[in-house]
Amino acid sequence: MLQISTDWESLLFLHSKGKGLFATRNIHKGETIFVEKPVVSSQFLWNALYRYKACDHCLRALETAEENAQRLLGKSCRILPHPEQCSIRKDLHQHCPLCQVAYCSAECRQSAFEQYHQVLCLGPSREDPKHPLNKLQDAWRNIHYPPETSSIMLLARMVATVKQAKDKDWWIKLFSQFCSKTANEEEEIVHKLLGDKFKGQLELLRRLFTEALYEEHLSRWFTPEGFRSLFALVGTNGQGIGTSSLSQWVHACDALELPPHEREQLDAFIDQLYKDIEKETGEFLNCEGSGLYVLQSCCNHSCIPNAETSFPDNNFLLHLVALEEIKPGEEICISYLDCCQRERSRHSRHKILREHYLFTCSCPKCLAQADDANLTSEEEEELEGEGETDDAELEDEMTDV
């Protein structure tokens, strides 16, 4: 399930903040600390509906870089230079023979089938709006509009995984390892995900979820309290995933050794391409989804993080990379805020973290600024009014490819 450097192990233990991840040796700046597969993951439903084509298992982008650019631009005539730098292998793509969902490889199709897809395969009912799973997904889309931060299908794949498993208790125990909250905190998290009418919406989702997926071994998950807890678990621990064949092509082009004039032309072409895409598509560039990662979920927040997550393989493999030297015994921390948010005042940062993550940060930066005024500057207050609570801002860094 996990891929970790052979000469380094992470140390997990309980302390005042819950779980934490600590180094047991010197970790160098720029070093990949670990690479991890999610326990379960899923593409966002609106993202898939708007033709962001991704592998149904690992979320690898399925379009070529040129197809990706053309769709984002709304133009079929744009030709990309250096097409050989595109890593997409369409000859390897496969589909489920029953429901036709797409995979990037035979390996992904088999992995999905063995873990959860036997339960979730819709077969010839894929386009039937009356099928219980389709009713559940349609209800979710009508409740949770873009920008998306989670998917009801992540919960569905958790249930399907247990339903298919020979050792159901092992999987139930694994899911129980993820950070949990008190009943009041769970309610706050679900309220944040579903909005002001969350109680009625949550009950609707629970009823449809039960109709589509009920499993006796997981009977508590289908009660009102258990479903709220499951929902909050995903809201608390879900890690955003972003993939892009265009981004992969850009990175490959950046690594090309070219004469200065050709390099200048290529850089100018790419800069203009992204400007044109931004005008047409805005910030929605990637195939996006979320997943549950055992090790990553143990990383606590810091406003001055010493590590960051990324998805350089164009799939769901999460890379945790050191941003600076990390000494033995030092906690490995990521940031739940994007770069711009981390530069704002302590008061502003705390307001965002309390609202979205239900804790007050006590990292070294926050402690050093403890005597700062609790009022933001006029400029920051204007920014807060414009969209401090915008979920898209929180997703920006999480879904960087």
Side-chain angles (χ1 to χ4, degrees):
M1 187 69 67
L2 304 178
Q3 302 176 26
I4 306 174
S5 304
T6 56
D7 62 343
W8 182 84
E9 292 183 350
S10 58
L11 176 64
L12 304 179
F13 60 89
L14 295 174
H15 55 66
S16 60
K17 292 187 290 185
K19 287 183 178 179
L21 197 63
F22 295 77
T24 58
R25 67 161 178 84
N26 283 315
I27 300 174
H28 302 296
K29 180 179 180 179
E31 182 177 345
T32 298
I33 301 171
F34 62 73
V35 180
E36 183 179 12
K37 284 183 180 180
V39 176
V40 66
S41 63
S42 179
Q43 187 179 5
F44 292 148
L45 290 178
W46 279 106
N47 192 262
L49 188 67
Y50 279 113
R51 299 186 296 114
Y52 286 74
K53 297 179 181 179
C55 174
D56 197 58
H57 182 63
C58 78
L59 273 72
R60 182 184 298 277
L62 297 180
E63 297 172 304
T64 65
E66 189 166 277
E67 289 171 338
N68 191 186
Q70 290 174 348
R71 177 175 56 78
L72 293 174
L73 286 167
K75 299 176 181 178
S76 59
C77 58
R78 181 62 66 92
I79 306 299
L80 298 188
H82 301 286
E84 74 284 353
Q85 298 304 313
C86 177
S87 61
I88 300 302
R89 291 283 306 277
K90 286 200 166 187
D91 57 309
L92 300 179
H93 294 178
Q94 295 200 0
H95 293 79
C96 170
L98 299 177
C99 68
Q100 299 304 309
V101 298
Y103 299 97
C104 67
S105 65
E107 291 77 15
C108 275
R109 182 171 68 85
Q110 187 63 26
S111 294
F113 183 79
E114 291 176 353
Q115 183 178 338
Y116 55 81
H117 189 66
Q118 294 174 60
V119 169
L120 299 179
C121 181
L122 293 174
S125 300
R126 188 181 182 192
E127 304 297 330
D128 180 4
K130 296 182 180 179
H131 190 282
L133 275 174
N134 284 331
K135 288 167 63 177
L136 176 65
Q137 293 179 76
D138 187 57
W140 175 259
R141 280 191 294 263
N142 287 329
I143 291 169
H144 197 65
Y145 292 99
E148 298 171 274
T149 56
S150 190
S151 171
I152 193 68
M153 293 310 293
L154 194 62
L155 281 68
R157 290 188 178 184
M158 292 170 68
V159 172
T161 294
V162 175
K163 287 173 77 78
Q164 283 190 208
K166 292 181 180 178
D167 189 348
K168 300 182 189 302
D169 290 337
W170 185 89
W171 280 98
I172 294 171
K173 183 178 180 181
L174 179 62
F175 287 128
S176 71
Q177 292 180 16
F178 288 96
C179 178
S180 59
K181 298 289 185 180
T182 66
N184 288 338
E185 288 175 327
E186 287 176 351
E187 191 162 298
E188 283 190 61
I189 292 166
V190 179
H191 191 172
K192 180 63 183 175
L193 285 172
L194 298 183
D196 291 338
K197 298 179 181 179
F198 81 96
K199 287 187 177 179
Q201 293 169 334
L202 188 65
E203 179 55 28
L204 170 64
L205 290 173
R206 187 189 69 84
R207 180 174 57 79
L208 294 172
F209 193 74
T210 302
E211 179 184 347
L213 293 161
Y214 185 77
E215 162 62 39
E216 184 63 34
H217 283 83
L218 298 170
S219 57
R220 184 183 177 278
W221 286 9
F222 295 90
T223 66
E225 296 79 12
F227 188 63
R228 183 193 63 201
S229 295
L230 186 64
F231 219 90
L233 181 150
V234 169
T236 302
N237 297 277
Q239 162 68 47
I241 302 170
T243 64
S244 168
S245 53
L246 179 60
S247 177
Q248 292 289 303
W249 173 82
V250 170
H251 288 318
C253 287
D254 287 343
L256 290 174
E257 294 185 5
L258 299 172
H261 180 63
E262 290 186 29
R263 167 55 60 191
E264 184 178 340
Q265 285 185 323
L266 181 58
D267 289 347
F269 175 88
I270 292 172
D271 287 345
Q272 188 59 50
L273 176 65
Y274 273 112
K275 289 177 182 177
D276 293 342
I277 289 174
E278 184 178 6
K279 290 179 182 178
E280 182 68 26
T281 309
E283 63 188 22
F284 298 103
L285 302 183
N286 300 332
C287 297
E288 293 187 346
S290 62
L292 295 176
Y293 295 82
V294 174
L295 286 183
Q296 178 275 336
S297 70
C298 296
C299 292
N300 287 307
H301 164 82
S302 173
C303 296
I304 44 172
N306 56 14
E308 68 177 357
T309 61
S310 64
F311 300 89
D313 296 321
N314 193 31
N315 60 15
F316 62 16
L317 287 179
L318 180 148
H319 290 236
L320 188 71
V321 179
L323 294 173
E324 58 186 53
E325 299 291 314
I326 305 175
K327 298 177 181 178
E330 188 175 348
E331 184 171 10
I332 298 168
C333 293
I334 59 177
S335 178
Y336 303 166
L337 306 175
D338 64 33
C339 295
C340 293
Q341 290 168 333
R342 291 201 298 271
E343 294 305 312
R344 300 178 68 181
S345 72
R346 175 178 178 269
H347 175 71
S348 293
R349 299 195 307 272
H350 279 199
K351 187 174 180 181
I352 297 170
L353 291 169
R354 279 195 299 268
E355 180 174 352
H356 290 270
Y357 301 101
L358 310 183
F359 74 91
T360 299
C361 183
S362 59
C363 72
K365 182 174 182 178
C366 288
L367 291 177
Q369 297 175 345
D371 294 331
D372 290 0
N374 285 332
L375 295 176
T376 58
S377 65
E378 291 183 0
E379 181 180 3
E380 284 197 318
E381 287 180 345
E382 289 178 4
L383 287 170
E384 286 175 5
E386 290 171 4
E388 178 181 89
T389 60
D390 188 330
D391 288 330
E393 290 184 7
L394 297 174
E395 285 297 298
D396 284 345
E397 185 168 323
M398 295 177 72
T399 56
D400 280 348
V401 178

